[in-house]
Amino acid sequence: MFKKILIANRGEIACRVIKTARKMGIQTVAVYSDADRNALHVRMADEAVHIGPPPANQSYIVIDKIMDAIRKTGAEAVHPGYGFLSERMDFAASLEAEGVVFVGPPSPAIEAMGDKITSKKIAQEAGVSTVPGYMGLIADAEEAVTISDQIGYPVMIKASAGGGGKGMRIAWNAQEAREGFEMSQNEARNSFGDDRIFIEKFVTQPRHIEIQVLADKHGNCVYLHERECSIQRRNQKVIEEAPSPFLDEATRKAMGEQACALAKAVGYTSAGTVEFIVDGQRNFYFLEMNTRLQVEHPVTELITGIDLVEMMIRVAAGEPLPFKQEDLKINGWAIESRLYAEDPYRNFLPSIGRLTRYRPPVEGKTARGGIVRNDTGVYEGGEISMYYDPMIAKLCTWAPTRGEAIEEMRLALDTFEVEGIGHNLPFVGAVMDHPRFVSGNITTAFIAEEYPEGFQGAALDDAQLRKVAAAAAAMNRVSEIRRTRISGTMDNHQRRVGNDWVVSVAGQDLAVKIDADRDGSTVTFEDGATHRVTSDWTPGSQLARTTVDGEPVVMKVAEIPMGFRLRLRGADLKVHVRSPRAAELARLMPEKLPPDTSRFLLCPMPGLVVKINVAEGDEVQEGQALATVEAMKMENILRAEKKAIVKKINAAPGASLKVDDVIMEFE
């Protein structure tokens, strides 16, 4: 077995590999850029080597710098994680030439499967069903339009060396094909150093289901069942689960056997993933093979009990797989929510900055019999950089059934405290309660169909709102009692806390009466309904773990005048708890309206201006492209919301902007 492994990556996946290596008694070497000097993976590793400036194309994907780090430290093997150099055949070949073991497949398999065009041809030859498309290289945007017209819209435009949603666009007409080709090519060039593009038919109403395979150097190959990855936004996975709620045993077996056949056809070893599109009749089509560890591998580990990173290391060291296909059973259900540094209230635009608060839920067994796991590469006080992928953490839950795993995830998300940046915790919390997700009736179009206008927060039903109101009333009583106990007050002027209150939440005024005892509070509503509330909350705490009628209600808390800001289940609520007289007066207060910014194009996220599409004096139409801003390796086109004339342009290409910086003004 190896004595020292270098991890050619950063963030949560580097930390994940270090954990397993440490468990196996293997020393680890981290590499880091200027931006990651104080990163968690650097702190966790036994050694760390500086490899250059923040941009990945000057540090993490520069093969020579990684090779220098290997020579300096004497590492015997390299784990590439995912992204960066993980699917670069020339990197694996460089390691082989140096006599260093690549913890992954052999370079010919990476070359064959890492290139989406070649992999489709091999899949066809191996008898794997594939999606119709154009397998050759495409020279320019006009040829892309011609090919798209021939295939028939909609089409998917993809970077051949792509991954993680980078360099991918769906085009529904010729204009979108032209724009999509250019943007995909730019993203591919910047992210992977390879701008080759191919086009295939976009299958409508598809599910994205992938098979995890594992092969050793002794001819053994198994599949570790499937992962459902259909909850995606802009082709970037958001929520994954294992197994899929859609597959039956026969389809699972057929997909698994085809995945293994494909792996054997290219002499594949190590962990890999074969991705399929599955239609409503359970017909499946080969999409691509990722010759690396997937981001969502933890859900497979949770339902099989197998450490995939450990297996990769053991296979790389020449050991045979310690199990056979018949040994791999599905145990329970696992769900993963990806926590991204993106603001769901601003159309999921990237958010960067310092994590002023980062408190994930406690990992391990839960009181309800489930499991919580959090794979992360950040810490409280650390910074989220504009240079890399926006992932903060991967929160996973396991339980015996899908319904129980969802409930474990709901509670874990409500417990997860993140402050200082925009993040998508409210959104994934809302998805967990969405009836369509709960039913398992999902496709890759789920987010686009269910949130066509973006995400503005979840609306809780009346039953849940009443529980929140009851909990808030009980918490307010705790605050009021604390206020009566302030020292230094005048004698004979002790303030009494009343029992009658009005809770204002989501546009409703709910009159309640509170009867408290040592164990909790009984909250009675005007219609006679009662709720029993217990809580561990004390004034100043930012997390309230309460139970209402025996059911857990966990909320993030911020105190506001006469009440609380409460966040749970994707909802962000201002809850006021007032005396009846104060509530009567509050209803007379005027509402303050936000300022009008309709005459400005504001930068929606921190980023770099790539292109300005118009000039001062131009008349623009609704939907017309005005500017392109790049953030976290993704290009974003900003379009006109209505017809207008450009009065002034305040930003030029190359400018680095903050959120709400003015790009241009309109008359």
Side-chain angles (χ1 to χ4, degrees):
M1 183 49 65
F2 311 115
K3 293 181 180 178
K4 184 185 289 187
I5 290 178
L6 182 142
I7 297 102
N9 217 300
R10 63 174 302 280
E12 69 86 14
I13 189 58
C15 297
R16 164 72 188 90
V17 175
I18 290 170
K19 287 179 182 178
T20 287
R22 182 182 294 162
K23 181 180 70 175
M24 297 174 70
I26 301 171
Q27 288 189 312
T28 55
V29 179
V31 293
Y32 65 93
S33 69
D34 291 339
D36 282 338
R37 189 174 299 276
N38 298 312
L40 185 60
H41 75 283
V42 175
R43 297 181 179 189
M44 289 178 63
D46 297 298
E47 299 176 61
V49 179
H50 176 250
I51 55 171
N57 59 9
Q58 298 177 41
S59 53
Y60 290 106
I61 63 173
V62 180
I63 294 175
D64 288 344
K65 292 186 176 183
I66 303 297
M67 299 305 297
D68 285 343
I70 294 167
R71 296 183 191 107
K72 286 178 184 176
T73 58
E76 304 162 83
V78 173
H79 196 300
Y82 53 74
F84 290 153
L85 298 172
S86 62
E87 294 179 285
R88 287 274 296 272
M89 183 272 295
D90 51 346
F91 179 55
S94 296
L95 293 174
E96 291 167 11
E98 193 83 12
V100 177
V101 177
F102 181 67
V103 183
S107 55
I110 296 176
E111 183 177 26
M113 289 289 96
D115 186 296
K116 294 181 177 65
I117 296 173
T118 303
S119 67
K120 282 185 176 296
K121 293 177 180 177
I122 294 174
Q124 289 173 337
E125 293 169 1
V128 181
S129 59
T130 59
V131 179
Y134 183 77
M135 296 296 102
L137 296 178
I138 301 167
D140 54 33
E142 293 310 313
E143 186 181 357
V145 171
T146 301
I147 292 168
S148 300
D149 291 342
Q150 293 170 351
I151 294 172
Y153 296 99
V155 297
M156 176 73 82
I157 301 168
K158 286 188 177 182
S160 182
K166 305 294 189 302
M168 297 174 65
R169 292 289 189 281
I170 298 172
W172 296 83
N173 53 52
Q175 181 59 30
E176 290 184 6
R178 187 176 291 104
E179 289 182 358
F181 177 85
E182 292 173 348
M183 295 180 69
S184 293
Q185 196 171 54
N186 289 340
E187 287 179 5
R189 186 184 302 111
N190 293 335
S191 296
F192 313 111
D194 183 342
D195 63 0
R196 292 175 299 157
I197 300 295
F198 75 102
I199 299 176
E200 67 183 8
K201 178 70 174 176
F202 178 66
V203 179
T204 55
Q205 296 299 307
R207 283 178 179 258
H208 185 134
I209 299 176
E210 59 191 29
I211 302 291
Q212 176 71 60
V213 297
L214 190 59
D216 62 23
K217 298 178 181 179
H218 304 273
N220 302 306
C221 183
V222 297
Y223 61 91
L224 288 81
H225 311 298
E226 81 279 2
R227 295 184 289 258
E228 173 78 62
C229 306
S230 296
I231 306 295
Q232 304 179 4
R233 193 189 63 79
R234 289 184 65 178
N235 303 308
Q236 177 72 64
K237 299 166 189 172
V238 179
I239 295 169
E240 301 99 349
E241 59 184 304
S244 167
F246 184 62
L247 293 193
D248 54 25
E249 189 55 46
T251 309
R252 175 179 295 119
K253 184 172 184 291
M255 292 175 70
E257 289 175 350
Q258 281 199 21
C260 284
L262 182 60
K264 288 180 178 179
V266 291
Y268 196 90
T269 62
S270 192
T273 296
V274 181
E275 300 190 348
F276 292 93
I277 290 177
V278 184
D279 68 17
Q281 287 71 50
R282 297 193 177 93
N283 299 309
F284 56 89
Y285 305 95
F286 172 74
L287 186 61
E288 62 181 322
M289 183 174 189
N290 290 310
T291 56
R292 54 169 168 81
L293 190 67
Q294 289 282 91
V295 175
E296 57 272 21
H297 75 274
V299 291
T300 295
E301 295 183 327
L302 286 168
I303 67 164
T304 61
I306 292 170
D307 185 328
L308 287 171
V309 173
E310 179 180 351
M311 288 299 106
M312 292 179 75
I313 294 172
R314 294 193 180 281
V315 166
E319 296 183 15
L321 297 179
F323 40 74
K324 298 185 183 300
Q325 188 64 59
E326 54 266 25
D327 301 323
L328 299 171
K329 308 298 182 185
I330 295 175
N331 175 32
W333 214 283
I335 297 176
E336 174 180 289
S337 294
R338 299 192 189 188
L339 174 56
Y340 286 125
E342 58 185 22
D343 191 342
Y345 302 107
R346 299 173 68 92
N347 198 27
F348 298 93
L349 293 170
S351 178
I352 62 175
R354 190 171 299 281
L355 287 165
T356 57
R357 191 173 183 86
Y358 179 77
R359 310 282 173 89
V362 176
E363 295 187 78
K365 286 274 189 181
T366 69
R368 302 165 71 95
I371 295 172
V372 172
R373 168 176 168 175
N374 187 55
D375 287 17
T376 188
V378 303
Y379 56 90
E380 188 167 294
E383 284 192 76
I384 302 299
S385 168
M386 67 179 287
Y387 296 103
Y388 310 116
D389 188 274
M391 185 182 293
I392 299 171
K394 302 180 312 195
L395 180 64
C396 304
T397 57
W398 175 94
T401 67
R402 185 173 188 265
E404 291 170 310
I406 291 173
E407 184 60 26
E408 291 285 1
M409 181 60 74
R410 289 169 178 154
L411 292 173
L413 289 167
D414 285 343
T415 306
F416 208 137
E417 299 179 76
V418 180
E419 304 293 345
I421 61 167
H423 55 79
N424 68 332
L425 270 176
F427 176 69
V428 291
V431 171
M432 287 299 134
D433 271 349
H434 197 288
R436 187 172 160 192
F437 175 78
V438 173
S439 72
N441 178 28
I442 53 178
T443 70
T444 55
F446 171 85
I447 292 177
E449 291 172 352
E450 300 301 327
Y451 301 93
E453 303 301 321
F455 179 74
Q456 300 303 323
L460 303 184
D461 60 30
D462 284 343
Q464 191 70 26
L465 280 175
R466 284 206 164 206
K467 289 183 178 181
V468 171
M475 291 161 59
N476 179 72
R477 185 178 185 279
V478 172
S479 291
E480 289 293 316
I481 289 174
R482 182 170 178 174
R483 293 185 187 105
T484 67
R485 295 174 178 170
I486 297 174
S487 62
T489 56
M490 296 175 61
D491 292 340
N492 302 319
H493 286 79
Q494 184 175 4
R495 179 167 169 246
R496 294 185 60 190
V497 177
N499 296 328
D500 294 312
W501 300 89
V502 176
V503 182
S504 302
V505 56
Q508 301 182 50
D509 287 341
L510 304 171
V512 301
K513 183 180 181 65
I514 303 176
D515 295 305
D517 52 52
R518 289 180 177 272
D519 299 321
S521 299
T522 299
V523 181
T524 304
F525 287 82
E526 206 169 17
D527 60 5
T530 63
H531 293 288
R532 182 65 178 172
V533 181
T534 61
S535 172
D536 69 349
W537 184 79
T538 56
S541 297
Q542 296 186 38
L543 190 70
R545 293 181 176 87
T546 70
T547 63
V548 181
D549 301 331
E551 291 296 318
V553 178
V554 181
M555 302 174 290
K556 300 177 185 73
V557 182
E559 296 188 62
I560 60 176
M562 292 188 177
F564 311 95
R565 177 192 177 196
L566 301 177
R567 289 172 289 168
L568 74 161
R569 300 292 178 92
D572 192 335
L573 303 169
K574 284 186 177 179
V575 184
H576 292 98
V577 187
R578 304 181 177 100
S579 68
R581 177 57 177 161
E584 181 182 350
L585 295 173
R587 285 191 284 269
L588 303 176
M589 295 293 289
E591 182 181 356
K592 184 178 180 180
L593 299 175
D596 180 13
T597 60
S598 61
R599 293 191 302 106
F600 303 96
L601 176 66
L602 305 179
C603 188
M605 82 291 265
L608 188 73
V609 178
V610 177
K611 186 178 182 180
I612 299 292
N613 299 79
V614 295
E616 292 180 1
D618 285 358
E619 182 179 272
V620 298
Q621 306 298 320
E622 181 180 352
Q624 182 176 338
L626 302 176
T628 302
V629 176
E630 179 184 325
M632 290 184 171
K633 301 190 290 184
M634 296 288 281
E635 289 191 357
N636 304 273
I637 295 180
L638 308 183
R639 299 182 183 275
E641 294 183 356
K642 60 184 179 181
K643 182 178 177 180
I645 294 175
V646 179
K647 178 181 179 182
K648 183 181 179 182
I649 295 177
N650 294 6
S656 182
L657 303 182
K658 304 187 299 294
V659 173
D660 289 340
D661 276 355
V662 177
I663 298 175
M664 62 184 70
E665 302 174 29
F666 305 102
E667 292 183 359

